[in-house]
Amino acid sequence: MPRGHYSLHDTHDHTPLGEEHFHCAPGPSGWRYVSQRTAPSGEPTGSVDLALDELGRPIRLELHAGDWQIRAAAIDGVTWVRTDPTGTHATEDNAPAHAFTGTSPAFLIATTRLLRLTPASPATRVRLVAFTDPVLAPRTLDQSWALLKSEAHTTDNGPLVVDEYQVTALDTGEQHAIHITGDVVLSAPGIELENLESPPSAFA
């Protein structure tokens, strides 16, 4: 079970946004990721609990940021309930999308599990609902994902395969690279792996 923490920073000016302390593991029905998020001061700022089925679909998502909360799943596209700070005006919504995304590294792993790309695969378009910080406001976006290459690196625990993805925002054309090994993000815009206490899990 991989366990560690990521540092998060602003993708434009690299301002530190805090850390995400996580653990994750594949299981008989898919994959689960749980994390706690903290501000640069160490103050708790939220949490992520994401469970995928064996096909990479989000069967349960629970996000907390400040007093805001999201509960969501892949139902009729994707469906979610967003609860306001007072807890009295919950709103339910739905979108014809494939899955969810946001600032957590969990969503990058989840998208790769859903798409199952190989270096020979053509670039694949995916529609996602993003929950944006700090109030978890939903926004639908379209991306194109391509797996550029998979390279094996020698480590003390055996070969470690690193996948390099190219992700394109279809509304702006902006492209960026994501490096993933197993169920751990090594680097991505706004995300750096700072500590990993155990090796990544390998998906079947």
Side-chain angles (χ1 to χ4, degrees):
M1 178 187 292
R3 182 183 300 268
H5 77 269
Y6 297 100
S7 63
L8 308 176
H9 57 266
D10 187 280
T11 56
H12 300 290
D13 61 11
H14 301 286
T15 300
L17 300 178
E19 293 185 340
E20 185 162 327
H21 296 258
F22 73 96
H23 62 273
C24 57
S29 61
W31 180 74
R32 187 178 180 197
Y33 177 103
V34 177
S35 70
Q36 299 293 323
R37 308 186 77 173
T38 59
S41 64
E43 179 184 1
T45 57
S47 62
V48 179
D49 188 342
L50 173 64
L52 308 179
D53 67 10
E54 66 276 5
L55 298 178
R57 297 172 299 195
I59 55 176
R60 187 183 73 256
L61 170 63
E62 185 169 321
L63 296 177
H64 292 266
D67 295 323
W68 295 89
Q69 177 179 301
I70 294 283
R71 292 180 183 271
I75 302 172
D76 297 328
V78 293
T79 299
W80 65 93
V81 175
R82 177 174 177 265
T83 305
D84 67 292
T86 65
T88 58
H89 300 290
T91 57
E92 181 175 347
D93 210 342
N94 173 269
H98 300 96
F100 303 103
T101 191
T103 55
S104 172
F107 295 114
L108 301 178
I109 300 294
T111 303
T112 66
R113 300 309 304 152
L114 181 69
L115 299 180
R116 307 291 175 98
L117 299 175
T118 69
S121 301
T124 300
R125 178 173 178 155
V126 61
R127 174 163 290 181
L128 304 169
V129 171
F131 295 112
T132 56
D133 295 332
V135 296
L136 301 180
R139 180 172 65 94
T140 302
L141 53 84
D142 294 305
Q143 295 179 338
S144 173
W145 282 65
L147 176 55
L148 299 184
K149 60 183 177 181
S150 297
E151 290 186 340
H153 297 263
T154 303
T155 72
D156 293 339
N157 296 315
L160 192 68
V161 177
V162 176
D163 296 325
E164 180 182 347
Y165 293 88
Q166 179 176 279
V167 180
T168 304
L170 295 182
D171 56 346
T172 64
E174 181 181 5
Q175 294 183 332
H176 55 266
I178 295 171
H179 294 86
I180 290 175
T181 179
D183 55 357
V184 172
V185 177
L186 297 178
S187 65
I191 299 167
E192 291 292 339
L193 179 65
E194 298 292 346
N195 173 259
L196 186 63
E197 298 177 10
S198 53
S201 301
F203 290 105

